[in-house]
């Protein structure tokens, strides 16, 4: 597990940039944290690190925003408003298995609403610090029997 102290929004974005520059195709990053904790800011950084120039805004009605033009594609989801049944219907496996679309980075806000998980993923939890700013906790998780957890890229 790696912990980062993010003193301001720029620090959250910079952590995302480093992830965007280094994560391999097929990485799923599950983002958790209270309202306003900085999940979208982090994904905006990931986009910048991938070389995406389109503005990254939280997916609301679209459910999934796809940004194909960077080093590898970015798929951005926000499950906040969704019921578990609606999430199940999204067929998210096709994003992290790369069956119907090229493998990229799948970044999911409010990932605690997922009814199923990929075999391996990065879990990033953002919490408020009492002195202001945020703390990020990054863990690499693998549930597959044969698959080793990926090494933390940072
Ligand atoms: N480390 C930080 N310190 C202080 N403010 C931050 C930090 N990171 C992000 N912010 C600010 O917090 C606010 C909310 O950020 P953001 O929209 O990314 O949160 P979110 O977790 O996506 O929110 P939501 O739960 O609504 O999806 C923004 O104004 C952002 O600039
Ligand atoms: Mg958000």
């Amino acid at each position: 597990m790696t912990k980062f102290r993010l003193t301001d929004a720029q620090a959250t974005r910079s952590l995302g940039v480093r992830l965007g520059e280094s994560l391999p195709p097929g990485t799923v990053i599950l983002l958790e944290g209270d309202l306003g904790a900085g999940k979208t800011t982090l994904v905006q950084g990931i986009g910048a690190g991938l070389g995406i120039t389109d503005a990254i805004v939280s997916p609301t009605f679209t459910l999934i925003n796809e940004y194909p033009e960077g080093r590898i594609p970015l798929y951005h989801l926000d499950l906040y408003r969704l019921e578990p049944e609606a999430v199940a219907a999204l067929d998210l496996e096709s994003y992290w298995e790369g069956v119907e679309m090229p493998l990229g980075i799948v970044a999911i806000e409010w990932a605690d609403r997922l009814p199923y998980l990929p075999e391996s993923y990065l879990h990033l939890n953002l919490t408020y610090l009492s002195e202001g700013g945020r703390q990020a906790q990054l863990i690499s998780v693998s549930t597959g029997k044969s698959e080793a957890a990926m090494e933390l890229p940072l």
Side-chain angles (χ1 to χ4, degrees):
M1 192 218 311
T2 315
K3 282 185 187 173
F4 303 89
R5 193 160 172 275
L6 307 170
T7 48
D8 54 22
Q10 188 52 44
T12 306
R13 185 181 159 88
S14 298
L15 175 61
V17 169
R18 288 161 64 200
L19 290 168
E21 286 169 345
S22 57
L23 292 176
T27 302
V28 179
I29 176 158
L30 304 185
L31 297 161
E32 285 183 34
D34 289 342
L35 272 175
K39 301 177 291 297
T40 301
T41 306
L42 192 109
V43 178
Q44 288 165 339
I46 291 176
L50 287 169
I52 292 164
T53 52
D54 273 3
I56 290 174
V57 291
S58 228
T60 45
F61 301 107
T62 45
L63 303 179
I64 302 177
N65 284 350
E66 305 187 6
Y67 303 89
E69 81 267 32
R71 174 175 67 85
I72 52 176
L74 172 65
Y75 305 107
H76 182 198
L77 290 90
D78 186 335
L79 307 181
Y80 185 60
R81 292 161 204 82
L82 297 187
E83 298 297 324
E85 305 81 62
V87 178
L90 285 175
D91 192 22
L92 295 178
E93 293 99 326
S94 59
Y95 285 90
W96 55 67
E97 286 167 4
V99 181
E100 285 153 40
M101 47 274 290
L103 278 178
I105 295 176
V106 185
I108 308 178
E109 298 189 39
W110 296 100
D112 56 318
R113 284 151 169 73
L114 279 174
Y116 48 80
L117 294 169
E119 274 197 4
S120 57
Y121 54 90
L122 294 179
H123 183 246
L124 200 145
N125 193 32
L126 289 160
T127 47
Y128 283 79
L129 293 172
S130 52
E131 64 268 32
R134 314 283 191 266
Q135 176 175 269
Q137 218 177 277
L138 183 64
I139 308 174
S140 178
V141 180
S142 177
T143 53
K145 288 194 183 79
S146 55
E147 215 168 339
M150 75 180 278
E151 233 172 272
L152 284 179
L154 304 173

